[in-house]
Amino acid sequence: MRKRVLTTFSGIVIFLCTGIVFTQANDAVAWNEAERASISRLSIHALGESPELKVNRVAKDAKAAELGHHLFFDTRLSINGKVACASCHLPEKYFTDGRKTAKGINSVNRNAPTVVGINHSNWLFLDGRTDSLWSQAMQPLENEHEHGTNRSHVVHVVYKDKKLHQLYEASFGAMPDLLNKARFPEQAGPVKDRAASYAWQNMKKSDQEIITGIFVNLAKAIAAYELKLNPSPARFDHFAQALEKNEAKAAEILNKQERAGLKLFLNKGKCNICHNGPMFSDFSFHNIATPQLNAKKYDWGRYKGVNKLLRSKFNCRSQYNDDPEKNCDEIKYIIRKREHTIGLFRTPSLRNITKTAPYMHAGQYKTLKEVIDHYVDPPKTLVGTSDLIPFPIDLTKQEKQQLEAFLGTLDSDIDAAQKWLTSPH
Ligand code: HEC
Ligand code: HEC
């Protein structure tokens, strides 16, 4: 009799304990259908193919990626022999530089974004002034603030380097003979530097095309390397996967504070209006009234980006786009109206966001706390119209902390073999 009471008693204790564990794990953060749908859309497992694969014939070519890897770390491609892509996109800083605004040959007025996972965006640069990963890669080389050099210089470096020359030919076929310096000067390109620009104008058009063709191929090889750099699944993604099968199990993956932060991200915070999709970005453009870096010289963002893209010889419509169909709807339907494009910047990905401070297009904010405060109390925009119309959002101090804790669940490694994450030299 006594024994039976004891068993019943311990049964109740076990029941109560599991009950407590169960409620603690869930602590009233249950997920409704709409939230579950949003969560699965944010999961990295929903990531599709990179748009680069269509427009770049060497996107998946191993030798091209190897060549691109070398070029990414090669300081010889700069005018002073000191700047490489990796000077501003450092692997140990998740391919950013930790600076407010970047510095190459000179200072740049924007913050260096990461290149990890950016191959999933249709628009490159924060104002989307290029529409492929390969055409993006050409610009820093000829930009007077970054590598400060010119296409002929870059092509000659590869031509003269035995290893790079071989890698080039393995992917693109024989390189033309460039030994005739009268036809192919070492410094020439459509750049600001007067001597190089003059030399370029004096070249025959057909010779210019030879140099440009090789330069474009080198940019495509760099893109092939960048395609290797993607984020691995983060704790959030494991949570999203588990949630589809077992809510209690999922709750073990994110703690209470992080789950509350996710709720805020989806609901009260309205963050996933723009930070949606598997990269936590709609890869579209918004004016969120970020303070201007320079009170005298405003950054007009997308407004200038649209004009630059349409003028570019290397946009989707160009002869160098490897997609035979050249489906350029994005250009066809591009929003040109001045008043709709002023002060817009592309929504950044939030994956591994804890590793890429400072934040915003010119590193205006040092911490995630400052970014969240921006959304709670957005400043008046100085150019254009702010998209944060349904804001400000009213978050308590605790809610802000929860939101920040959630952002930390997007941390993960880079999903690439170690060799791609260090210099090959
Ligand atoms: C001086 C520093 C610097 C150097 C050198 C540099 N970058 Fe960047 N990179 C930046 C900055 C700053 C931006 C953003 C500029 C903008 O949006 O106007 C950027 C943007 C990018 C982007 C687009 C990212 C996005 O979110 O759209 C890619 C990709 C990229 N760089 C790759 C490269 C490659 C490849 C090289 C070498 C060929 C290179 N960068 C050299 C600073 C640098
Ligand atoms: C209307 C669209 C929109 C909404 C809503 C929005 N963001 Fe953003 N977010 C952006 C854009 C655009 C930027 C880049 C602005 C810039 O560079 O000036 C940005 C930047 C950020 C950054 C800095 C990223 C970086 O790499 O510099 C973080 C962090 C961020 N947002 C988090 C949030 C959170 C958290 C919420 C919800 C409270 C939110 N965002 C709501 C569009 C939005």
Side-chain angles (χ1 to χ4, degrees):
M1 173 70 191
R2 204 191 155 134
K3 200 173 167 198
R4 199 186 306 151
V5 171
L6 211 71
T7 352
T8 322
F9 178 71
S10 48
I12 293 170
V13 171
I14 290 169
F15 171 77
L16 281 177
C17 288
T18 35
I20 289 165
V21 171
F22 189 73
T23 37
Q24 258 189 358
N26 283 285
D27 35 59
V29 185
W31 304 93
N32 64 36
E33 278 314 304
E35 289 166 340
R36 282 166 186 271
S38 301
I39 290 170
S40 66
R41 279 196 296 270
L42 287 167
S43 166
I44 203 163
H45 303 102
L47 204 55
E49 242 187 19
S50 160
E52 181 72 9
L53 301 190
K54 269 207 167 145
V55 298
N56 177 349
R57 70 191 184 287
V58 297
K60 284 193 155 176
D61 180 311
K63 285 270 188 310
E66 208 182 312
L67 173 61
H69 185 204
H70 276 90
L71 299 174
F72 196 90
F73 287 87
D74 198 331
T75 53
R76 291 174 304 171
L77 305 187
S78 67
I79 210 67
N80 65 0
K82 291 186 181 154
V83 179
C85 309
S87 312
C88 301
H89 303 286
L90 285 75
E92 61 274 25
K93 288 193 162 44
Y94 196 65
F95 288 85
T96 64
D97 61 0
R99 299 172 57 97
K100 207 170 139 101
T101 50
K103 193 168 184 318
I105 299 295
N106 286 302
S107 297
V108 182
N109 66 353
R110 295 221 175 120
N111 177 262
T114 184
V115 300
V116 181
I118 202 62
N119 65 76
H120 288 282
S121 176
N122 279 313
W123 304 112
L124 280 297
F125 286 121
L126 307 178
D127 54 12
R129 64 182 179 275
T130 65
D131 58 1
S132 66
L133 200 56
W134 67 261
S135 59
Q136 189 288 328
M138 299 167 70
Q139 292 208 2
L141 296 164
E142 291 200 318
N143 182 307
E144 73 273 22
H145 302 301
E146 297 179 77
H147 295 243
T149 179
N150 53 72
R151 59 192 65 177
S152 212
H153 172 86
V154 173
V155 166
H156 278 286
V157 169
V158 175
Y159 185 74
K160 283 187 269 184
D161 183 299
K162 204 168 158 222
K163 166 132 192 147
L164 300 188
H165 195 125
Q166 270 174 359
L167 282 171
Y168 179 94
E169 297 200 335
S171 303
F172 301 103
M175 221 192 222
D177 181 347
L178 303 178
L179 287 173
N180 182 343
K181 292 286 148 53
R183 275 179 67 197
F184 301 106
E186 296 230 10
Q187 304 296 335
V191 292
K192 285 234 168 111
D193 179 80
R194 285 178 73 176
S197 166
Y198 186 71
W200 182 251
Q201 283 160 25
N202 282 331
M203 281 171 71
K204 277 209 312 224
K205 195 156 182 298
S206 52
D207 287 344
Q208 286 181 348
E209 274 167 14
I210 289 173
I211 295 293
T212 299
I214 300 171
F215 186 52
V216 165
N217 286 341
L218 296 175
K220 286 179 179 166
I222 295 177
Y225 164 61
E226 290 174 313
L227 275 156
K228 300 264 175 211
L229 308 173
N230 287 291
S232 313
R235 243 169 359 103
F236 165 76
D237 303 298
H238 299 307
F239 167 83
Q241 252 191 339
L243 189 63
E244 285 172 14
K245 297 191 190 96
N246 182 338
E247 185 154 343
K249 236 216 146 88
E252 288 165 16
I253 298 173
L254 300 190
N255 69 32
K256 184 179 163 190
Q257 201 187 20
E258 292 161 345
R259 278 178 281 136
L262 171 54
K263 280 250 168 194
L264 292 166
F265 189 88
L266 300 177
N267 301 310
K268 194 172 170 189
K270 306 186 186 83
C271 311
N272 81 326
I273 294 177
C274 307
H275 297 281
N276 56 41
M279 288 302 293
F280 281 76
S281 169
D282 57 2
F283 290 133
S284 188
F285 302 89
H286 302 277
N287 183 333
I288 64 158
T290 310
Q292 288 286 337
L293 178 71
N294 186 335
K296 293 203 187 99
K297 205 167 160 246
Y298 290 164
D299 190 334
W300 291 49
R302 183 62 172 157
Y303 172 63
K304 292 211 168 153
V306 169
N307 293 334
K308 286 180 184 161
L309 178 83
L310 294 176
R311 277 201 309 266
S312 167
K313 290 195 180 97
F314 303 99
N315 67 25
C316 176
R317 288 185 173 146
S318 86
Q319 67 191 100
Y320 300 104
N321 176 352
D322 293 329
D323 180 3
E325 286 172 19
K326 294 208 198 332
N327 175 355
C328 301
D329 281 354
E330 259 136 3
I331 293 193
K332 199 164 156 198
Y333 301 113
I334 203 164
I335 300 171
R336 295 172 198 232
K337 279 210 169 137
R338 186 184 151 95
E339 65 272 26
H340 294 321
T341 58
I342 295 177
L344 276 59
F345 292 91
R346 202 199 54 222
T347 309
S349 169
L350 298 181
R351 291 195 173 271
N352 286 296
I353 194 69
T354 66
K355 300 174 189 166
T356 61
Y359 302 106
M360 303 301 189
H361 65 266
Q364 283 94 335
Y365 297 131
K366 284 202 197 79
T367 60
L368 286 174
K369 188 177 169 302
E370 285 178 30
V371 175
I372 292 170
D373 283 338
H374 171 91
Y375 288 105
V376 173
D377 188 13
K380 238 176 106 122
T381 180
L382 293 173
V383 292
T385 317
S386 172
D387 279 359
L388 299 184
I389 296 299
F391 290 74
I393 46 169
D394 195 14
L395 298 181
T396 64
K397 193 171 167 214
Q398 192 198 10
E399 286 174 327
K400 290 187 205 170
Q401 286 164 355
Q402 291 169 336
L403 197 50
E404 188 175 342
F406 167 66
L407 294 177
T409 71
L410 303 176
D411 278 359
S412 67
D413 293 333
I414 299 175
D415 184 16
Q418 188 55 34
K419 76 160 188 169
W420 302 115
L421 307 179
T422 49
S423 169
H425 304 128

